[in-house]
Amino acid sequence: MPVGRASDPQRRNRRGDSPAERRGERARREGTKTSGRRPGRPTPTRSRPKSSTGGAFKLSSTRRAAGLAMLVCVMALSVSVPLRTYLSQRAELAAQEQQQIELSRQVQELEQRKEELSDPAQLEAEARARLGYVRPGETPYIVEVPTAPPPPPPDTSADDGAPWYEELWNSVMGKGS
């Protein structure tokens, strides 16, 4: 073994260098890259084991699926509250607009009614019809249409003194009393 090699225990103990530092020093001396390999030899590529448990954070597919499901749930919950608020405010806005349309229609009707009552002839006709007013010297007549007389109350004197359960039994059996 030649003197000055990295495998020399005396030199390793003397210098206190790490193996990476020794490789770098040797590469500088030999004029090669610091790959830790001798020149002329191809650098072997490290092959990773083929497994489905890889991934960015070394998680299994089940854990990744659970994490994705949890992320989707969190996003759905964070969107659902503002969405519900938005939809309820839209419904409330539509109801307020409908109420505003109804109130504006009522205002128009009342303004039209006010214009009608500003005419003295219309005002007099309303007072005669609704309130029963008459002019001085006129005789008011009120005609009432007769209504049909109310039906007589049912005759309860047909009670023959039988107890209620006998009357019930007789009515079930079809016997008249």
Side-chain angles (χ1 to χ4, degrees):
M1 197 181 270
V3 178
R5 297 230 89 193
S7 62
D8 186 11
Q10 292 176 347
R11 185 169 181 175
R12 192 180 319 143
N13 290 338
R14 262 185 297 150
R15 294 187 86 192
D17 295 327
S18 68
E21 291 173 345
R22 284 193 300 271
R23 278 192 299 262
E25 183 180 328
R26 188 178 332 125
R28 276 192 299 276
R29 271 188 275 135
E30 295 175 3
T32 61
K33 294 182 181 177
T34 59
S35 65
R37 297 277 173 199
R38 291 186 193 150
R41 271 193 187 172
T43 305
T45 58
R46 294 184 182 175
S47 63
R48 294 185 182 174
K50 304 269 184 183
S51 68
S52 65
T53 61
F57 298 109
K58 304 285 186 197
L59 297 175
S60 67
S61 61
T62 306
R63 286 187 178 179
R64 277 186 273 159
L68 182 62
M70 189 180 309
L71 179 66
V72 167
C73 289
V74 166
M75 290 177 64
L77 289 175
S78 66
V79 168
S80 66
V81 173
L83 182 64
R84 192 180 88 201
T85 304
Y86 171 75
L87 293 177
S88 68
Q89 287 177 349
R90 292 271 312 216
E92 186 177 335
L93 180 64
Q96 292 293 327
E97 288 175 349
Q98 183 66 29
Q99 184 179 9
Q100 183 181 5
I101 291 169
E102 180 66 27
L103 289 174
S104 64
R105 188 185 59 80
Q106 287 179 358
V107 166
Q108 288 176 350
E109 289 176 359
L110 290 173
E111 286 176 353
Q112 184 181 5
R113 180 77 174 143
K114 180 182 173 186
E115 288 176 12
E116 289 175 0
L117 292 178
S118 65
D119 182 26
Q122 180 69 26
L123 187 60
E124 183 180 342
E126 284 285 326
R128 286 177 177 268
R130 290 178 56 198
L131 302 175
Y133 283 10
V134 292
R135 288 189 168 258
E138 295 179 345
T139 306
Y141 292 102
I142 299 175
V143 178
E144 293 186 14
V145 179
T147 59
D155 187 19
T156 58
S157 64
D159 189 12
D160 58 352
W164 64 270
Y165 51 87
E166 285 183 16
E167 289 179 13
L168 179 64
W169 183 255
N170 291 335
S171 67
V172 168
M173 298 305 287
K175 297 179 182 176
S177 46

